[in-house]
Each structure stands twice: as C-alpha cells, then as structure tokens.
Amino acid sequence: MSSTVIHSVVLFDGHTTHPNATVVFDTKSGKITSVSTSSSDAQHPSGATVIDGKDHTLLPGLIESHMHCHGLHLPPGGSMNDILRSPLKSGVTTVCDMHSDLGSVDTHRKSIANELAEARKSGGTVTLSDLKSSLLGATIEGGWPKPIVLSGHPTEDVIEMVKKWPNLTPDTAAEYVRSHKASGANYIKLMQENCCSLAMPTNSVPVASLELQSAVVKAAHEHGLPCVGHALSVDMTEVILNAGADGLTHTFVDQPPPQSIIDLYKKTGAFVIPTLTVLASLTGELQDWRDRFADIAQKKGIVDDFAKQNMTELLGMKDPAAKLEYAFQTINKLKKEGIDVVAGTDAVAGLKGTGIGPSLWMELELYVEKCGLSATEALSSATAVPAKRFGFSDRGEVVEGKRADLVLVKGDATKRLQSLWEGEGIVGVWKEGFRAG
C-alpha cells in the first residue's frame, strides 16, 4: 500500500476551513483514509510519503461542471490529446461533459481506465481528469446547437456526425433517456434556444416545446438521473425551470434579472452554472482577463501556443442588447437568495475564448470579483456543491472514505483565491491517490 500524509496544512474540506489539518490517503483504495483537524493527534502510516503542508492549502479536486470533450471545434487534424490533460494540470480532477457523442466519451473513458490500471500496476502517475457526461443532449430536428455547428464550412465528418444527433419528440423522450442511461450517461442535458441573445434572428431555429422538455425531465428523474438545461435568455430559462429541470447550464445575458425568474429559481430549487467565461467571449467583453489567464496557463505549461491563442480570441456573436453585466447581476441576486452556484465555463477545445482547465480559474475569480461570492463560496461551487447537486457522492469533499482527489496549493486559497494560479500556485494534484504527472 502506498500512503501519503499531508500535515500542518490549511484544509478546505469543501465546506469549512481548518487551519491545521492532516490528511492521509492511499493508492490501494484510492480513498482518503484519515482526516484530522489537529496535526498533533494524527498517526503517520509506516512507510508513507510525508508532505509538510505548512503555508499551503489542501482542497478537494476541482469539478468543472460544464465543458465538452469532443473535438468539433479543433482545426482539421487537431489533436484531442490535451482535452483531459490540461484540466488535471489546473487542479480539475473531474470534468462534466454537457453534449458529446458516445464515441468521443468512450474513447476518453477507455484512456482514463487504462491509465489508472497502469498506475496501479506500476505505481506511476496519472495525466487525465475523470469524465462525467450527458452524452448527446436532447436535441430536436434543426434545433440548437445543430445550426451553429453546421455554420461556416463544416467537414463531411461533422455533417455526418450531426445527422446522428437526436430529433426528439415528446413520444420519444422516454426511450432517449433509457438508452442514454444504458450507454453510461451521468445526467441528461436539455437544449432550449431561440437565439434572442445571439447575433441571429430570434426564433430563426426550431425551439423545443415545454411539453418535450417536461417529458425529458420526467423520464430522467424516473431513471434517477439529474437533468439540466441550456438557455441564454430569460424566456428560455423560464421554460427550463417550468419543465422541472434540476439546473441551468448557463445564465442569461439578454436583460437584467426579473424578480419573476429569481422567484422561480427559489420555487423550483434549481441551481445555476453561470459559464461567465464563455459569455464574456460571446459578448466580446473582458479581453484583459482572457489575455491574463492565457498567459498564466502557457507559462505554467498547461496550454500550447494554439490553445493560448484560442483562449485570447472571442466568439463575439451577441445580440446588440446582450450584456455580461446582466449575468453578474443575476448570479449576485441568486447567491443572495441561497440558490446554489455551480462552477462551469462551457470550455471546449478550439472554442474561442476558452481553455479547458485554466478557464475555471477565470470563472472562479469572476464569481468573487463580480458576483459577490467569497473565496470559500467560490471554492465550494467547484467542489462540494456540484458533487451534491449531480449526485457524485464519492468526491467533492475531503472526508474519510471519499476519493483521494486532492489539490495542494502554495498559500492560503481560502483567503486569497488567486493563490490557485499566481506564484507557485498548484504544487500537487492527486486523482484516486495517484499523483498527477
């Protein structure tokens, strides 16, 4: 058994900060075997690797709750190799894919399993984040995101792939959910888009009905799966909430938050994944933020030249009335009303303005600087809160018996969130007890 002990560390367990803690974990079980909030009463297993955590913070592995693991936005011949490597280097031990084909998901999952098997055999390191997925979202004929994926000059492979996406009706909703669960979906993703926040005519694409979305949510819940939904405007958000979804995978940018939407969130208990990073790229704002995090990510060896350049570019496809400030106002109000904020960016390999992994750092800083969250609330939004809301009961907290998905940071990240990426930043990442290499 290969045990690791981290002592005298500031521990953020997903909820609470403990100033002088000791955490023990091992690779045999892949779990945390002991947590002590007083280093003096902790026992060190014989032969363990012992790390002095003084002047460091230990966190649960971060969870990126909105990304995509496909390669549709990569240039011809572009590699998918870094899709799960860059997040692990950024302290993200779990990524939640929100619309990808089964082939892409299975390819990643096989790589993850093979890597862990080799690490257990040889005692080596790991390089890939864990992957959760909705598989393909509940798309309709001609509906979102088919038009945007097929815009420009798509390759024949992309055209053929989109042809295989679902064309759901209320009558086929139950079978769609059943087959997705059988194929390993961890949750279900709705698509609700009328383009009113985008540089496209409103209702220029077919829009899913409340009847359909309600049928999908009902089927998902009958199969024990959470159900979340895409919406970028107030009216589309209202449809997702009225359908009974567990959460929104974006907030809206078309108008300031009306009280009716705040009340509907409170009534339904739904959570929100703000994705401020991609919304800033959509509206063409915060260029200095994109430049700063792209530069940090490259200097730390997380992204290559292509990925860095991609992080600095922008989508710039908003409706003239759309503003990022509306998103800040909404998250601020929802947070004050006790609505769960779950951290996610909508990062995709090759999607302008995003980088899988380092974009989550930018997202978390925006929560603190623009939306009124404290550093610990921001950290909870990327650890314990998503684990609870998605039903990932084995992770998201530093608790005995949970997965040994851990991040060690130089400095006190509970007081200064920027410790995650500034200076030495992250000095150690473990997934199931194995150190990231």
Side-chain angles (χ1 to χ4, degrees):
M1 179 176 69
S2 177
S3 293
T4 299
V5 177
I6 302 176
H7 68 84
S8 308
V9 74
V10 174
L11 172 64
F12 178 72
D13 62 12
H15 308 276
T16 305
T17 302
H18 307 278
N20 184 33
T22 296
V23 176
V24 183
F25 55 95
D26 65 59
T27 56
K28 182 178 180 180
S29 66
K31 297 181 184 300
I32 297 165
T33 56
S34 173
V35 177
S36 171
T37 56
S38 174
S39 290
S40 60
D41 61 12
Q43 297 296 315
H44 296 185
S46 176
T49 298
V50 179
I51 298 173
D52 185 350
K54 184 180 179 181
D55 300 323
H56 291 72
T57 310
L58 189 66
L59 314 168
L62 303 179
I63 300 173
E64 157 66 273
S65 291
H66 187 159
M67 56 78 73
H68 299 266
C69 71
H70 58 68
L72 288 178
H73 296 286
L74 289 171
S79 173
M80 294 174 62
N81 289 342
D82 289 334
I83 287 176
L84 298 185
R85 288 193 175 101
S86 59
L88 194 64
K89 292 177 182 178
S90 306
V92 178
T93 53
T94 302
V95 294
C96 297
D97 169 71
M98 283 292 171
H99 176 72
S100 289
D101 61 287
L102 180 59
S104 294
V105 173
D106 277 350
T107 295
H108 288 303
R109 284 178 169 168
K110 287 175 184 176
S111 296
I112 293 166
N114 290 340
E115 181 179 73
L116 276 170
E118 181 60 30
R120 291 188 179 104
K121 180 180 177 181
S122 65
T125 59
V126 293
T127 64
L128 305 173
S129 295
D130 198 25
L131 174 65
K132 303 289 187 178
S133 180
S134 66
L135 306 182
L136 290 173
T139 52
I140 63 173
E141 187 170 1
W144 189 266
K146 296 178 182 181
I148 201 71
V149 172
L150 294 174
S151 63
H153 301 88
T155 65
E156 286 298 322
D157 288 344
V158 170
I159 293 171
E160 289 303 310
M161 180 179 290
V162 172
K163 286 181 180 178
K164 298 176 183 177
W165 289 3
N167 292 317
L168 284 186
T169 67
D171 292 337
T172 59
E175 174 56 25
Y176 158 82
V177 172
R178 186 205 65 77
S179 65
H180 265 45
K181 183 175 182 179
S183 296
N186 302 106
Y187 39 83
I188 298 296
K189 168 78 177 293
L190 307 176
M191 300 292 187
Q192 190 68 37
E193 183 57 67
N194 65 358
C195 301
C196 84
S197 294
L198 306 173
M200 300 168 66
T202 300
N203 294 320
S204 58
V205 303
V207 179
S209 66
L210 176 60
E211 179 188 12
L212 170 62
Q213 306 296 40
S214 299
V216 176
V217 172
K218 180 175 182 290
H221 290 169
E222 287 175 348
H223 283 277
L225 295 176
C227 189
V228 294
H230 163 107
L232 294 174
S233 61
V234 168
D235 56 352
M236 295 294 94
T237 298
E238 186 175 7
V239 173
I240 295 293
L241 290 171
N242 282 327
D246 299 282
L248 272 294
T249 62
H250 300 281
T251 192
F252 47 84
V253 290
D254 62 317
Q255 59 180 284
Q259 188 60 43
S260 59
I261 283 290
I262 305 299
D263 291 343
L264 194 52
Y265 264 103
K266 292 168 62 178
K267 178 182 177 181
T268 62
F271 61 86
V272 60
I273 305 174
T275 65
L276 301 178
T277 303
V278 83
L279 295 179
S281 179
L282 174 73
T283 64
E285 300 173 74
L286 300 185
Q287 186 62 48
D288 56 333
W289 286 64
R290 277 188 294 279
D291 291 344
R292 175 162 57 94
F293 280 97
D295 187 57
I296 292 170
Q298 186 183 52
K299 287 179 177 177
K300 290 184 177 292
I302 295 172
V303 298
D304 58 18
D305 289 342
F306 167 79
K308 178 192 176 182
Q309 179 63 31
N310 187 74
M311 285 181 69
T312 66
E313 295 179 359
L314 53 88
L315 292 168
M317 53 179 292
K318 77 177 186 74
D319 179 85
K323 292 181 181 180
L324 188 61
E325 176 61 28
Y326 299 151
F328 297 156
Q329 293 173 12
T330 301
I331 301 308
N332 200 306
K333 283 194 172 186
L334 290 175
K335 181 260 180 184
K336 289 179 178 177
E337 293 291 348
I339 302 302
D340 283 337
V341 176
V342 173
T345 66
D346 198 11
V348 193
L351 183 65
K352 293 180 178 181
T354 71
I356 306 172
S359 280
L360 190 63
W361 298 344
M362 175 173 162
E363 186 81 16
L364 295 177
E365 186 170 31
L366 284 169
Y367 296 167
V368 173
E369 298 299 322
K370 303 292 186 180
C371 301
L373 275 70
S374 66
T376 53
E377 287 170 336
L379 291 171
S380 289
S381 78
T383 54
V385 178
K388 177 182 178 181
R389 296 307 304 250
F390 280 103
F392 305 154
S393 59
D394 61 344
R395 68 195 71 193
E397 300 171 297
V398 183
V399 174
E400 184 177 335
K402 300 279 187 177
R403 277 173 55 125
D405 291 355
L406 299 163
V407 179
L408 186 64
V409 179
K410 182 61 185 281
D412 191 342
T414 68
K415 293 180 179 177
R416 192 169 185 276
L417 186 67
Q418 292 82 359
S419 298
L420 273 171
W421 56 84
E422 291 184 355
E424 291 185 49
I426 293 170
V427 297
V429 179
W430 292 263
K431 191 183 81 167
E432 292 197 56
F434 291 97
R435 190 146 193 165

